[in-house]
Amino acid sequence: MATKDYIIAPSILSADFARLGEEVNSVLEAGADWVHFDVMDNHYVPNLTIGPMVCQSLRDYGITAPIDVHLMVEPVDQLIQSFSKAGATYITFHPEASDDVDRSLDLIKDSGCKAGLVLNPDIPIEVLDGFLDKLDMILLMSVFPGFGGQEFIDSVLEKVTKMRSIINENSLETRLEIDGGIKLKNIKEVADAGADTFVSGSAIFGEPDYSEIIRKMRDSLKA
Ligand code: DX5
Ligand code: ZN
């Protein structure tokens, strides 16, 4: 895969929320491609984060980069509509959080956003059977959702490899995203397994120099 096709999507969960607009600008100026926007509802996951108003605020602040909204909420349909109005680019959700996955995917597509499904580490990829042709993105979680700063679960690598073969065998355009515990030390291995879109929160926002860490990640992807 050409390195330009790799997407780095910093998770703003680890940004300084008191200065969110500035933080998002800084990380994009530092070379990030997308903004990964983690939505947690204190129901599907125990944590509580940010909603559509904050997405709209980032757009109003002048952020034009793709916003990759990862819904860790249940149910999903209402928030899909709110986030599409608030300027989301991608909207992904966990299939077990919708009572009709097809309908929720259609809602995303009909609103003009790109759609994706997210699989937790213990959910098999067979769950995606029947939905593949509707998906612009498949997000494989490499931690259990809810918190930033967790350790990458190595057994997910095998799932990434399997998913990449299915995508290639079916000549799908679907992006394969990985989320959780992505750092400079493992990004290359995950890319070699077949991921092309990398969410990274604490490993980027925890560094004093965002440009340096993103450049090192890209260099490692090129190696
Ligand atoms: C976990 C979130 C992730 C997480 C990534 O529930 O979906 O996006 O914040 O953070 P790091 O890179 O710190 O694991
Ligand atoms: Zn996420």
Side-chain angles (χ1 to χ4, degrees):
M1 168 159 316
T3 48
K4 67 170 169 38
D5 294 332
Y6 288 128
I7 295 288
I8 296 182
S11 163
I12 57 174
L13 187 58
S14 294
D16 178 355
F17 280 126
R19 297 186 299 108
L20 191 58
E22 271 171 58
E23 285 269 78
V24 170
N25 260 341
S26 308
V27 86
L28 290 168
E29 276 166 19
D33 301 293
W34 296 358
V35 178
H36 184 80
F37 194 109
D38 283 311
V39 186
M40 305 186 187
D41 67 347
N42 181 230
H43 169 68
Y44 177 74
V45 289
N47 209 348
L48 179 69
T49 60
I50 45 179
M53 286 191 290
V54 176
C55 184
Q56 183 65 60
S57 297
L58 290 177
R59 289 300 186 212
D60 294 343
Y61 187 73
I63 303 298
T64 55
I67 298 182
D68 172 28
V69 173
H70 173 193
L71 294 181
M72 288 161 274
V73 306
E74 185 179 1
V76 295
D77 288 3
Q78 179 116 35
L79 281 174
I80 284 171
Q81 299 179 64
S82 310
F83 269 103
S84 72
K85 288 191 195 113
T89 311
Y90 283 84
I91 301 179
T92 64
F93 65 92
H94 294 249
E96 64 275 22
S98 170
D99 57 8
D100 187 338
V101 172
D102 263 312
R103 186 193 62 219
S104 301
L105 288 172
D106 288 342
L107 262 180
I108 300 176
K109 302 283 232 185
D110 293 347
S111 75
C113 292
K114 295 185 180 183
L117 287 176
V118 193
L119 299 185
N120 282 340
D122 59 347
I123 304 279
I125 55 182
E126 288 69 29
V127 167
L128 301 176
D129 289 354
F131 302 119
L132 282 178
D133 54 348
K134 279 195 177 176
L135 301 179
D136 299 295
M137 183 142 77
I138 293 163
L139 169 49
L140 298 181
M141 292 305 298
S142 38
V143 298
F144 284 90
F147 300 92
Q150 304 181 74
E151 275 304 302
F152 184 89
I153 299 172
D154 283 315
S155 58
V156 173
L157 278 177
E158 202 180 311
K159 223 160 128 186
V160 174
T161 309
K162 266 198 215 156
M163 200 63 244
R164 170 52 59 196
S165 319
I166 296 171
I167 290 173
N168 290 355
E169 277 160 21
N170 292 283
S171 307
L172 300 170
E173 299 277 307
T174 323
R175 297 209 71 90
L176 183 53
E177 184 175 50
I178 186 98
D179 183 6
I182 296 294
K183 300 178 167 55
L184 180 58
K185 69 167 190 209
N186 62 11
I187 194 167
K188 170 71 173 158
E189 191 184 7
V190 184
D192 288 345
D196 57 25
T197 304
F198 306 89
V199 176
S200 179
S202 50
I204 292 179
F205 285 104
E207 289 291 319
D209 185 339
Y210 302 159
S211 303
E212 188 182 329
I213 181 66
I214 291 172
R215 183 174 34 79
K216 284 183 178 163
M217 284 178 169
R218 288 209 199 275
D219 287 347
S220 158
L221 289 170
K222 263 186 238 161

